[in-house]
Amino acid sequence: MTSPARPRTGPPAGHPAGGAAVLAELLPYRRTLDTGHTGHTGHGDFPDSFPAQLRQLAVPVAAGEPLVLTLPGFPCKSPNPAKVLGHLPDEGERLALRFLDALCARIEAVHPPGARVVICSDGHVFSDLIRVPDRDIDAYADALRAMIHDEGLTRLNVFDLRDVYGRRLSHDAKRDLVHAHHAPALEALRSLTRSDEPTRRLYQGITRFLFEDSASFTGTRSALQRDCRRRAYGVMQRSRAWGDLVGAHHPGAFRLSIHPQPRGSAKFGIRLLDAPDVWMTPWHSCVLEHRDGRRELLHRTDAERLGRLVRRQGRPSHFVAG
């Protein structure tokens, strides 16, 4: 992926004005399943093809206010050791965080009040469903905050369930509150999965992740598939519930997503790093640095076959191609 940190001295002549200028900075990195389109952004995308996003940007841009972009994601590392190097953030998260901070800097070049990304870390929302211990999710989120601080990424901050419900309630109690007050009905979600193509693809993608990450399952393959399909609906319910909570706490924010989003969606899918699979993220993979400096997200088993392990501050960080 092209770095968003290339030098800029201001909008070039003829650059679109207002919210369209901001959207033009995001379009080259749109995460999408759309195919068969070509154009200046690689997807054939232009700002006027995204009226929902232009509406989201219109008010703060017109008021000359800083932009807030919310990004649910960065939950925890996959529990599958064939995918990742451990349970703490590594080079993948570091590069993704630097990408997001640099993207905000580029937005500031066309919208001087600036922008910040609120990373809405959602691991605790569904940790029981993805079967990752809450202590690992706490450690991941705390390390993420430390990484943001240590890298000097002043345009980013982290928001999680602890910011919603404090630290006195148990994680189970917080999840129960999220589900009870914000989750959509299961039957309505099942119906939407059958009738809406993007929802169906999301369901399939989550089911695949759950299946791949169930390394310790001792039953039959068919039993695991049934279990993963059931849990996938639960993850989707709570993900939607988390989206409602994020919207309530950050009204008027521009809504980013780590999942592919079609044109016309209220959310804007954003890539964080180059990956061969459009669904892949730093927390389901690790980084392979190629000889030409390009960084790619791959599953650990693929990356270690192609490169040697690099450690940072005593911890496994990424692979460098041999």
Side-chain angles (χ1 to χ4, degrees):
M1 174 178 290
T2 303
S3 168
R6 62 179 182 267
R8 295 183 66 109
T9 57
H15 200 285
V22 173
L23 195 54
E25 300 299 332
L26 299 173
L27 284 173
Y29 313 106
R30 185 166 82 93
R31 189 186 293 259
T32 176
L33 294 171
D34 296 340
T35 58
H37 299 281
T38 58
H40 74 299
T41 66
H43 301 306
D45 293 336
F46 296 89
D48 59 4
S49 299
F50 298 86
Q53 281 68 39
L54 290 175
R55 286 193 296 271
Q56 287 179 358
L57 292 167
V59 173
V61 167
E65 298 173 347
L67 302 178
V68 177
L69 295 81
T70 54
L71 177 61
F74 292 83
C76 58
K77 285 293 193 181
S78 163
N80 186 348
K83 288 185 173 183
V84 297
L85 289 168
H87 71 277
L88 294 175
D90 54 34
E91 184 73 355
E93 280 83 0
R94 189 176 76 87
L95 292 175
L97 294 173
R98 291 176 66 180
F99 167 82
L100 291 170
D101 190 80
L103 194 58
C104 288
R106 287 191 61 197
I107 291 173
E108 187 173 344
V110 298
H111 179 67
R116 65 184 176 93
V117 171
V118 181
I119 296 168
C120 303
S121 182
D122 48 6
H124 283 308
V125 176
F126 39 67
S127 60
D128 57 326
L129 294 169
I130 61 176
R131 296 175 181 166
V132 173
D134 285 305
R135 65 179 179 275
D136 287 356
I137 290 172
D138 279 333
Y140 179 90
D142 291 343
L144 205 65
R145 288 180 170 91
M147 186 177 281
I148 289 171
H149 176 269
D150 293 345
E151 292 285 324
L153 306 178
T154 57
R155 303 174 185 90
L156 308 181
N157 63 282
V158 178
F159 174 85
D160 62 26
L161 270 185
R162 292 176 286 187
D163 298 296
V164 178
Y165 296 120
R167 296 174 182 263
R168 298 183 63 181
L169 292 175
S170 70
H171 294 302
D172 285 334
K174 293 173 186 177
R175 282 189 283 270
D176 288 344
L177 287 171
V178 171
H179 195 102
H181 293 137
H182 299 279
L186 179 57
E187 285 307 316
L189 190 58
R190 282 177 171 160
S191 176
L192 193 60
T193 303
R194 292 189 293 267
S195 63
D196 181 68
E197 180 66 13
T199 304
R200 185 182 67 82
R201 286 179 170 178
L202 178 59
Y203 166 72
Q204 292 173 333
I206 293 173
T207 302
R208 175 166 64 89
F209 282 134
L210 292 173
F211 187 87
E212 293 171 350
D213 289 354
S214 301
S216 61
F217 190 83
T218 57
T220 65
R221 183 181 179 89
S222 60
L224 176 57
Q225 289 173 332
R226 289 193 299 272
D227 178 66
C228 291
R229 287 193 289 266
R230 176 188 60 81
R231 286 189 284 138
Y233 278 118
V235 170
M236 291 174 69
Q237 281 182 291
R238 294 203 202 151
S239 293
R240 293 200 172 204
W242 181 235
D244 285 352
L245 262 178
V246 168
H249 281 261
H250 302 281
F254 187 93
R255 300 168 63 186
L256 297 173
S257 174
I258 54 96
H259 296 131
Q261 300 292 328
R263 295 183 185 90
S265 171
K267 294 178 286 187
F268 187 92
I270 190 81
R271 283 183 175 269
L272 304 175
L273 290 169
D274 188 25
D277 181 347
V278 74
W279 295 93
M280 194 174 287
T281 60
W283 47 94
H284 275 100
S285 60
C286 59
V287 170
L288 174 68
E289 183 177 344
H290 293 272
R291 290 182 177 180
D292 61 3
R294 180 174 63 89
R295 281 97 164 199
E296 182 181 17
L297 292 177
L298 295 172
H299 288 161
R300 175 183 179 167
T301 51
D302 295 323
E304 64 186 357
R305 178 172 50 83
L306 298 170
R308 60 176 177 84
L309 180 65
V310 175
R311 292 180 177 271
R312 182 187 292 269
Q313 298 179 340
R315 296 208 312 261
S317 173
H318 62 288
F319 292 91
V320 174

